Amino acid sequence: MNEKNNNLGIFEGLSLIKNQWLSFCFAIFLSFIILSLDFILTISIPKILDDLRFIIDDGNLFNIPRFSIILLILIIFRPVIGWLINYLQIRILVGILRNLENNIYSKSNKIYLYNKNYSSENSANLLITHGRYYLDTYLIPMIRAITDVGSIIVICFGLFLKYPIPLLFFVFSITVFLSVYQFITKKLLRKNGEILINSYEDIIKLSANGFAEEQGAKTINEVLDVKKSSWLVIGSISQGLKYVIEFCFMFSFGIAALYIIIISPSSFAAFISTFAYAAVRMLPSFSTVLAFYQGKTTAEFAINELLKHMKNSFDAK
């Protein structure tokens, strides 16, 4: 299979769960709760700051408006709300995977009845590794990425209402930096993801004879060394993502802040305060979105194998 055919569209893998769209859409719907909350909190930050300034000047802590108290409580408990929604979404996705596993082994059984030479190791690997890749590096990260893309959009919209030009500088620069980084790492992730899946398949095959060495065949040590090298590349890229995003974010923020200092220095303090809250929300959101894209690239081979398996089982009927 050439590299062009290995490319997997962002939503192409969802064809594996085309009979479970209702459950998947409900998981996405839950994300809109977080999106709405992030939008309200972002555009309310200036009002909260004004109320706090008034209280400080007035000296009476009991004069804080009730609406600002509610907003402050929501800011504090925003992570808890996000965690609860994330739990519900994962519960839905695990159920989707369980139904997909039923389809995999039932279709594997049909292929075996049609072709007695069908590899049981391949079927086991589909259930053990491919399904895990599909859930852990595609479905769950996709739900989180959809939520966080929405969060980035609503937060940026809130910022745009107050600071349109600085936001455009920020968005343009960080998009360019991260796009270049993704372009550089994409081929490495795809190649080593395929090597990793093939290593798992080799381990299952070699386990059939107790990992005994055979003339001219791969040894278990060779397979494990290859797996180790692939994990090193994938792990280095995935763990380094956090630092790449932090660098790109701070550099892009510096460009936007420089514009404010030059054009409107009197609003610099308010800009920093508003952007500080937005940064707390956007930094992990950028990490989640980029992590999904990298995970999808790593899992492309496994997902394509699942798609091929389901198609072949259909053709074998």
Side-chain angles (χ1 to χ4, degrees):
M1 187 178 290
N2 59 39
E3 184 177 341
K4 183 177 180 180
N5 290 333
N6 269 333
N7 290 334
L8 183 76
I10 293 178
F11 299 107
E12 190 175 345
L14 293 178
S15 60
L16 286 169
I17 58 170
K18 58 186 177 182
N19 295 325
Q20 303 186 70
W21 277 110
L22 187 61
S23 297
F24 185 76
C25 288
F26 180 67
I28 293 178
F29 173 76
L30 292 174
S31 298
F32 283 93
I33 298 175
I34 290 297
L35 300 184
S36 302
L37 183 59
D38 282 340
F39 177 74
I40 293 172
L41 294 180
T42 301
I43 63 175
S44 299
I45 291 298
K47 173 176 171 47
I48 294 175
L49 293 175
D50 289 340
D51 290 341
L52 290 177
R53 270 193 220 99
F54 174 77
I55 293 171
I56 293 173
D57 294 338
D58 184 63
N60 188 354
L61 294 177
F62 297 100
N63 282 342
I64 185 170
R66 184 174 302 175
F67 182 67
S68 293
I69 294 176
I70 295 174
L71 290 175
L72 289 171
I73 293 174
L74 287 176
I75 290 175
I76 294 171
F77 287 96
R78 162 61 176 79
V80 177
I81 297 171
W83 180 85
L84 289 173
I85 291 176
N86 189 57
Y87 169 78
L88 292 174
Q89 290 175 323
I90 291 176
R91 186 180 178 89
I92 292 170
L93 295 180
V94 169
I96 289 175
L97 175 64
R98 184 65 184 87
N99 292 331
L100 177 61
E101 288 172 338
N102 288 341
N103 290 333
I104 292 172
Y105 78 70
S106 63
K107 291 180 183 297
S108 296
N109 181 256
K110 290 178 182 178
I111 295 177
Y112 176 76
L113 295 176
Y114 179 80
N115 180 11
K116 296 297 182 180
N117 294 322
Y118 177 69
S119 171
S120 60
E121 291 91 351
N122 180 60
S123 180
N125 195 45
L126 287 170
L127 286 172
I128 296 170
T129 61
H130 290 53
R132 170 183 162 271
Y133 264 89
Y134 186 64
L135 179 69
D136 292 346
T137 64
Y138 185 72
L139 276 186
I140 291 178
M142 174 182 279
I143 285 289
R144 293 183 60 193
I146 290 173
T147 303
D148 285 330
V149 165
S151 294
I152 292 172
I153 291 174
V154 297
I155 289 172
C156 285
F157 180 74
L159 289 173
F160 184 80
L161 296 177
K162 302 289 287 185
Y163 310 102
I165 304 301
L167 179 66
L168 291 178
F169 277 119
F170 171 81
V171 171
F172 176 77
S173 56
I174 197 171
T175 301
V176 171
F177 291 144
L178 293 179
S179 297
V180 171
Y181 173 72
Q182 285 297 102
F183 178 79
I184 294 172
T185 59
K186 184 176 182 179
K187 183 177 288 187
L188 283 172
L189 289 170
R190 179 181 293 119
K191 177 182 177 182
N192 284 278
E194 180 175 347
I195 292 173
L196 202 59
I197 289 296
N198 289 332
S199 298
Y200 290 141
E201 292 177 351
D202 289 338
I203 291 171
I204 292 176
K205 291 176 182 177
L206 290 172
S207 67
N209 61 354
F211 302 110
E213 296 185 9
E214 297 181 0
Q215 188 68 27
K218 294 180 182 177
T219 66
I220 185 61
N221 284 321
E222 291 173 344
V223 172
L224 292 176
D225 286 341
V226 169
K227 183 170 74 72
K228 174 186 174 183
S229 298
S230 295
W231 265 125
L232 179 61
V233 174
I234 295 172
S236 298
I237 294 175
S238 63
Q239 293 302 310
L241 177 64
K242 173 179 179 291
Y243 306 105
V244 171
I245 290 179
E246 285 180 358
F247 170 79
C248 295
F249 192 96
M250 294 308 298
F251 192 89
S252 302
F253 171 71
I255 295 174
L258 184 61
Y259 173 86
I260 287 290
I261 292 173
I262 295 174
I263 303 300
S264 180
S266 61
S267 61
F268 181 73
F271 170 77
I272 293 296
S273 300
T274 304
F275 213 97
Y277 173 76
V280 170
R281 293 300 320 136
M282 285 199 292
L283 260 176
S285 294
F286 273 115
S287 298
T288 298
V289 174
L290 269 292
F292 160 69
Y293 191 82
Q294 289 188 347
K296 179 196 74 70
T297 303
T298 303
E300 280 182 357
F301 181 76
I303 296 173
N304 280 324
E305 289 276 289
L306 281 174
L307 290 168
K308 181 180 177 181
H309 171 77
M310 301 300 277
K311 181 179 183 299
N312 288 344
S313 61
F314 179 80
D315 294 338
K317 290 183 181 180

